[in-house]
Amino acid sequence: MISHSIFAIFLALISSAISETNDDILVFTVASEPTDGFQRYLSSAHHYHIAPTVLGFGQEWKGGSDIKNRPGGGWKINLLKTALEPHKDDPTKIILFTDGYDVIFTDTLDAILRKFKETKARVLFGAESSCWPDVQLAPKYPQVTEGKRFLNSGLYMGYAPDLWQVLTFDVIEDTDDDQLFFTKAYLDEDLRKKVGFKLDHKSEIFQNLNGAVSEVELFEVKAKEGPEEYKIQNVLYHTVPLILHGNGPSKLSLNYLGNYLANSWNSVEGCVRCKEGQFDLKNKRANEMSLVLLAIFVEFNTPFLEEMLSKVYSQEYPKHRIDLFIHNAMKFHSKHITDFIEKHGSEYRSVKDIKPDDGTTEWAARDLSLAQCLSKNCDIYFSVDSVAHLDNPHTLRLLIEQNRTVVAPLLPRPGKAWSNFWGDLTKEGFYARSNDYMDIVHNDKRGLWNVPFIANCYAINATLLKKFDETKLNFDRDNWDADMAFCANLRDLDVFMYVSNRVDFGHLVNPETFDITRVEPEMYQIFDNEQDWEARFIHPEYPENFNPEKTSLQPCPDVYWFPIVSPRFCTSLINMMENFGKWSDGSNKDPRLEGGYEAVPTRDIHMNQVGWEKHWLEFLRKYVRPLQEHVFLGYFHDPPRSLMNFVVRYKPDEQPSLRPHHDSSTYTINIALNQRGVDYEGGGCRFIRYNCSVVDTKLGWLLIHPGRLTHYHEGLKVTKGIRYIMIAFVDP
Ligand SMILES: *[C@@H]1O[C@H](CO)[C@@H](O)[C@H](O)[C@H]1NC(C)=O
Ligand SMILES: *[C@@H]1O[C@H](CO)[C@@H](O)[C@H](O)[C@H]1NC(C)=O
Ligand SMILES: *[C@@H]1O[C@H](CO)[C@@H](O)[C@H](O)[C@H]1NC(C)=O
């Protein structure tokens, strides 16, 4: 007898030791397919060394056809019953059940077990603030003084024999509602008392997010060594829940929190979770690369479309593995598209080009592109809108290697809060800003972020297109924008949309002020698309002007010479002027001036006559002023003032030269807009005091010299062709 009881104590010691090391806690979940949410669940489990037994995997879901909106889920109970049968009499076994698609572990089983034992419950369910699916049952619930009153069946645990009693207190059909079943068990006072059935009212372990989103916050657990770890706290009950369930409409919050929890991200290693599933295409042979359907959408007039197309072309990916699909709705851009296809189309595997005349709507075109992807047997669908500039030539490859169902490169408007993703949504489905939105847009945090809305550029693994046909996955929904419709459909299908800023991918142009009634409309974009304006119109060697290793060119005393604008700028400006065409008549009478009189008249057009005055002043401020300060030290004037800004035309049979004169300026700038020996003969500028001429002017280069006293000068005779220069008298 004695030895037997000693043995029993010994066993109990062992079993308590075992339970401390988790051997006696069994974790179950139900998931029929590996959705993005289920992968996240497994990742979080893995991080905390939890190995759930997955029930129903690979089977057809039997728990009701519309589990999101209608009751169902009885199947989960029946699956669990079968799995528990062998353990039902084992009082040492603790069973933890969690839903699979919308759950994240935020701590270890040890922590869960410790908390569970503190509750003194034999069976413990999570709680929530609403009574579902049968609100009539609400009054039957015991009152609670603090905490959530109603049962939620997404998260629960208990000792095997006690839980078994609950699971078997009645029979349940697969399509019956599991939460209703457990609610009835809980409301059965005898059963509740008998098995020690409690609810986790204050989220000591189980946090159901629905109705509690504002109670739940991330917090950082600082480690002594190594990176911080993110956990959640319930700020209403001052608890630190250990398992998080994004039930009902709280999935977006779950996705947001999931970007951080279970060490998905930390400030030291950055994006930890994004390395999961990622692969490397570097050593893959060109012929084995995934087939890509690259869809380009030009749905409105867009500045710098030529550059956008050339960046698409520059993507380092074998073009014979890319099928092109282009929808252009804008006649203005027909030439750009045609040029692109003529030049490069034949390098691609195929080209489908839908023109403005077809009258295809954006919605239809986008739907068509998905169909085109399938008909070309694509592996990857890659969509790029006209505003999306993929400055990084590896964008496509990096997105494919990231291996997510849907992933977008982060593309911000430079220097602005605007980008191609939303961090959160309003209830109505519109833009809302998440707490971390600015950190992500400004790259203060880099990573791979699960977000509710992406647009303008994204890659989709085509298995998704095969899984959901065009009735489910399309761009149409209640007259919404195509993007909003598409993302709403993806959300409904529980497909995660990721946006990556692991590296810089590119930027968005701003089309809002693009005015195609202008000649050379991009020239007017110096304010709204500075970066693109600069790339197209500023001389590539401009930054070298400030290289301290270099001395500035000085062709004549105190006359400096700098590369400043690109050849494209020069032709654009000439084109603007010639299109306007109202050159002054070269007489002294000039109604454009305040006094109506010009002592040294030229044939010219003023910037304000082509609506380009404020743009020009911005150009002076941003690009000319620093050069002036660089060579004429100690003179600061910000912004530079300039009333006289114009393009001059020298032409043998019109006005070939200009007599010696002073300028009414502190300094004058003079930009050569075309080339001697190519466009004209003769010409140049002679500084009389020094008997020094600059004749071999260079395209897009600027001469800068003092205006008065020392630099009396003349315009030398053009003998053939037409010479154009751009002049400004700065700080008169
Ligand atoms: C992509 O990730 C999935 C898991 O999500 C994995 O099964 C698959 O092998 C990965 N693809 C490649 C090419 O590595
Ligand atoms: C697409 O997804 C499937 C399933 O996760 C995966 O096996 C495959 O490797 C992915 N394809 C590409 C090209 O990433
Ligand atoms: C000015 O320079 C030119 C050539 O550089 C020379 O032929 C001419 O004699 C010079 N004139 C004076 C006044 O020095």
Side-chain angles (χ1 to χ4, degrees), residues 34 36 39 276-281 284 290 400-405 461:
D36 292 338
Q39 282 178 21
E276 270 176 23
Q278 190 183 328
F279 54 85
D280 191 345
L281 285 175
K284 214 159 186 164
S290 300
I400 294 174
E401 289 177 346
Q402 186 62 71
N403 190 11
R404 291 298 184 272
T405 313
N461 181 322

Side-chain angles (χ1 to χ4, degrees), residues 198-425:
K198 294 185 181 177
L199 302 188
D200 184 10
H201 299 290
K202 294 197 278 180
S203 297
E204 303 281 354
I205 301 174
F206 304 130
Q207 179 65 59
N208 293 301
L209 261 183
N210 194 21
V213 165
S214 61
E215 296 164 20
V216 177
E217 289 178 5
L218 287 170
F219 74 103
E220 288 175 41
V221 181
K222 297 260 192 291
K224 270 209 199 76
E225 276 166 51
E228 80 282 7
E229 184 172 356
Y230 286 87
K231 304 247 181 208
I232 43 164
Q233 55 185 332
N234 186 307
V235 293
L236 189 57
Y237 306 129
H238 308 288
T239 52
V240 178
L242 310 177
I243 312 178
L244 181 60
H245 178 211
N247 52 322
S250 68
K251 295 211 167 27
L252 295 187
S253 300
L254 184 76
N255 291 350
Y256 170 79
L257 298 168
N259 285 329
Y260 296 89
L261 295 172
N263 201 30
S264 295
W265 186 92
N266 65 58
S267 62
V268 179
E269 298 158 288
C271 162
V272 183
R273 189 57 46 75
C274 58
K275 284 150 206 145
E276 270 176 23
Q278 190 183 328
F279 54 85
D280 191 345
L281 285 175
K282 277 212 188 73
N283 300 319
K284 214 159 186 164
R285 293 219 309 274
N287 288 337
E288 295 168 345
M289 300 281 266
S290 300
L291 281 178
V292 175
L293 186 286
L294 194 162
I296 297 173
F297 296 94
V298 184
E299 304 301 333
F300 43 80
N301 293 322
T302 311
F304 303 102
L305 188 74
E306 292 162 65
E307 284 86 347
M308 177 272 168
L309 292 170
S310 86
K311 288 167 195 176
V312 165
Y313 179 74
S314 301
Q315 289 298 307
E316 295 195 352
Y317 199 86
K319 299 210 169 26
H320 68 277
R321 303 294 286 169
I322 298 178
D323 291 287
L324 264 191
F325 176 100
I326 304 178
H327 177 242
N328 173 26
M330 294 290 124
K331 287 212 165 64
F332 173 75
H333 288 303
S334 293
K335 186 176 154 27
H336 302 135
I337 301 294
T338 310
D339 286 355
F340 180 78
I341 293 175
E342 271 177 15
K343 219 164 144 198
H344 302 304
S346 63
E347 297 170 52
Y348 290 91
R349 187 163 172 255
S350 70
V351 180
K352 184 175 170 68
D353 168 26
I354 303 181
K355 298 186 168 70
D357 293 339
D358 290 5
T360 309
T361 65
E362 175 180 356
W363 294 268
R366 290 188 188 270
D367 284 347
L368 269 174
S369 69
L370 295 177
Q372 178 78 352
C373 189
L374 290 174
S375 80
K376 293 289 174 187
N377 203 20
C378 65
D379 302 307
I380 297 286
Y381 172 84
F382 185 49
S383 170
V384 191
D385 291 356
S386 58
V387 290
H389 281 235
L390 305 179
D391 302 307
N392 185 334
H394 304 292
T395 302
L396 173 57
R397 177 176 61 79
L398 290 169
L399 294 182
I400 294 174
E401 289 177 346
Q402 186 62 71
N403 190 11
R404 291 298 184 272
T405 313
V406 179
V407 58
L410 171 63
L411 303 173
R413 277 191 193 166
K416 299 288 190 305
W418 183 285
S419 80
N420 66 328
F421 85 97
W422 296 352
D424 202 356
L425 295 181

Side-chain angles (χ1 to χ4, degrees), residues 599-600 657-663 686 688 711-715:
V600 195
S657 63
L658 188 61
R659 70 172 171 79
H661 62 281
H662 278 117
D663 295 333
R686 177 164 169 268
I688 290 145
H711 284 68
Y712 193 58
H713 59 285
E714 63 180 331

Side-chain angles (χ1 to χ4, degrees), residues 686 688 690-693:
R686 177 164 169 268
I688 290 145
Y690 310 106
N691 188 23
C692 176
S693 301

Side-chain angles (χ1 to χ4, degrees), residues 552-563:
S552 304
L553 282 181
Q554 209 179 151
C556 298
D558 283 325
V559 178
Y560 290 93
W561 216 3
F562 299 107

Side-chain angles (χ1 to χ4, degrees), residues 22-38:
N22 301 334
D23 286 21
D24 273 0
I25 181 162
L26 300 175
V27 183
F28 292 96
T29 189
V30 172
S32 54
E33 52 173 340
T35 62
D36 292 338
F38 186 57

